[in-house]
Amino acid sequence: MPSPEFELIQRYFSRHDAAPEIVLGIGDDCALARVPAGMELAMTVDTMVEGVHFPRHTAPFDIGYKALAVNLSDLASMGARPAWFTLALTLPRNDPDWLAGFSEGLHALAGEHRIALVGGDTTRGPLSITIQAHGLVPAGEALLRRGARAGDLVAVSGTPGDAGLGLQLALGQRTTAVNADYLRARLDRPSPRVALGQRLRGIASACIDVSDGIAADLGHLLEASGVGADIELARLPLSEAFRQTFAGSPDWNLALTAGDDFELLFTVPPAREADLAALADVTVIGRIGADQGARFHLPQGGLMQLEQAGYDHFRSAP
Ligand code: ADP
Ligand code: MG
């Protein structure tokens, strides 16, 4: 008789939609994959812990969806094409309803991006989900954090700040917002910018995905590149929901420091500026300069003072 653990894996996680590079998927001690000639393997792993990365009682579909989305976002930021992933799942109990919802969310996003689940590990304990995703990128063409140069444009995809507003709603820190359902969806089911990342190869000089807020992630890119940036807040592409919720006076601090948007933040050399026009849903927000650090210019003039730059698990309480 198959063990309950084996049955669980069979029922919820075994699919036969392996990537062309997969020689052997779920079922043996390891999966086997072939890296095509001329390609490099992009590797990333992220853990989501209940109560830390998502509020208790988040819908299982959304947990499965987001656990993969955050990894796909890392692949996107490097310009890689998603290829396959593994899943390490720690569960308090064998709950068929939870598992059905979780695996549905996971497979929904996996199917959309045609990334194959090729293995994993299943254990009992406090709810925690770890996904390792691998992507493929033409050798030497990956987008790195360190390529920004003075004079490059700074651009961002989507409308940053929405997930942060969604989190305030989810945590009950805010009771109303314009288009609250949309804002919650931005938090719970982010859209990793996989197609954009691949299009940015040969265009962007540096790229990072915005998981911890624009201020913090721009800071990482600037530090890696050894440059600074001037950002015009008037150019920040805020959503209608975000603007209307703040009725004319946007919460800049929230827009810059809230995480979870999973948009791409990237730089483009002036010679490549024309290529930007062909990219949908991308906005230039500033320019790279030689002076270190990020300066956020307020629409009414003057510089913005940030309250807190992004989330850090190991920062001690103030
Ligand atoms: P082992 O003890 O050799 O590590 P397991 O019994 O943990 O193997 O897993 C059996 C097979 O099922 C392996 O191929 C493993 O990759 C796969 N697997 C286990 N858990 C998961 C999961 N949550 N999702 C996908 N595949 C899984
Ligand atoms: Mg084994």
Side-chain angles (χ1 to χ4, degrees), residues 142-222:
L143 304 172
L144 311 182
R145 296 179 177 188
R146 63 170 184 235
R149 297 292 171 264
D152 288 0
L153 300 164
V154 179
V156 69
S157 64
T159 52
D162 292 345
L165 203 41
L167 182 62
Q168 291 189 340
L169 290 166
L171 296 178
Q173 295 170 349
R174 169 182 293 278
T175 49
T176 58
V178 174
N179 211 344
D181 288 348
Y182 159 82
L183 294 168
R184 275 304 301 264
R186 295 308 299 156
L187 173 71
D188 292 331
R189 294 182 298 283
S191 318
R193 297 288 187 168
V194 170
L196 176 62
Q198 292 170 78
R199 287 206 61 186
L200 288 177
R201 293 198 309 250
I203 297 176
S205 48
C207 186
I208 189 168
D209 70 319
V210 183
S211 52
D212 295 328
I214 287 186
D217 290 315
L218 175 63
H220 298 320
L221 186 153
L222 296 177

Side-chain angles (χ1 to χ4, degrees), residues 10-30:
Q10 276 295 103
R11 171 172 314 192
Y12 299 105
F13 300 115
S14 289
R15 298 271 170 117
H16 298 284
D17 50 359
E21 297 85 5
I22 294 298
V23 180
L24 187 66
I26 290 177
D28 215 310
D29 291 312
C30 293

Side-chain angles (χ1 to χ4, degrees), residues 1-316:
M1 204 181 88
S3 70
E5 181 185 318
F6 179 81
E7 254 185 304
L8 185 159
I9 296 164
Q10 276 295 103
R11 171 172 314 192
Y12 299 105
F13 300 115
S14 289
R15 298 271 170 117
H16 298 284
D17 50 359
E21 297 85 5
I22 294 298
V23 180
L24 187 66
I26 290 177
D28 215 310
D29 291 312
C30 293
L32 297 172
R34 199 185 299 115
V35 177
M39 303 296 269
E40 283 167 356
L41 200 56
M43 293 163 272
T44 181
V45 62
D46 271 294
T47 296
M48 292 199 352
V49 176
E50 184 178 48
V52 178
H53 300 90
F54 55 91
R56 230 164 268 274
H57 309 304
T58 300
F61 182 100
D62 294 342
I63 297 172
Y65 191 101
K66 188 164 178 175
L68 182 58
V70 302
N71 282 279
L72 292 179
S73 181
D74 282 326
L75 294 180
S77 75
M78 303 288 288
R81 167 169 71 78
W84 55 82
F85 70 105
T86 58
L87 165 69
L89 188 56
T90 303
L91 297 169
R93 69 198 74 84
N94 184 347
D95 174 347
D97 286 343
W98 191 93
L99 278 159
F102 173 84
S103 61
E104 229 179 278
L106 184 77
H107 290 304
L109 190 64
E112 195 181 311
H113 293 283
R114 295 196 288 150
I115 182 169
L117 177 57
V118 298
D121 193 28
T122 308
T123 53
R124 186 189 288 261
L127 182 58
S128 153
I129 302 111
T130 298
I131 287 182
Q132 181 185 47
H134 289 178
L136 294 165
V137 60
E141 291 185 29
L143 304 172
L144 311 182
R145 296 179 177 188
R146 63 170 184 235
R149 297 292 171 264
D152 288 0
L153 300 164
V154 179
V156 69
S157 64
T159 52
D162 292 345
L165 203 41
L167 182 62
Q168 291 189 340
L169 290 166
L171 296 178
Q173 295 170 349
R174 169 182 293 278
T175 49
T176 58
V178 174
N179 211 344
D181 288 348
Y182 159 82
L183 294 168
R184 275 304 301 264
R186 295 308 299 156
L187 173 71
D188 292 331
R189 294 182 298 283
S191 318
R193 297 288 187 168
V194 170
L196 176 62
Q198 292 170 78
R199 287 206 61 186
L200 288 177
R201 293 198 309 250
I203 297 176
S205 48
C207 186
I208 189 168
D209 70 319
V210 183
S211 52
D212 295 328
I214 287 186
D217 290 315
L218 175 63
H220 298 320
L221 186 153
L222 296 177
E223 203 176 323
S225 298
V227 292
D230 289 279
I231 303 299
E232 304 293 336
L233 293 182
R235 302 175 84 171
L236 207 62
L238 301 176
S239 69
E240 277 308 304
F242 194 97
R243 280 181 196 286
Q244 287 176 19
T245 296
F246 293 103
S249 160
D251 183 340
W252 296 118
N253 204 73
L254 180 65
L256 293 174
T257 63
D260 278 316
D261 282 312
F262 298 102
E263 296 294 346
L264 295 184
L265 180 69
F266 56 96
T267 59
V268 174
R272 288 274 170 200
E273 189 170 350
D275 294 319
L276 274 178
L279 302 174
D281 219 5
V282 157
T283 310
V284 173
I285 58 171
R287 203 174 273 278
I288 297 292
D291 291 340
Q292 310 272 311
R295 293 161 293 276
F296 297 98
H297 298 263
L298 290 160
Q300 65 270 28
L303 288 180
M304 147 118 207
Q305 296 300 318
L306 287 174
E307 281 161 30
Q308 188 211 335
Y311 187 77
D312 184 329
H313 287 269
F314 295 102
R315 177 177 289 140
S316 37

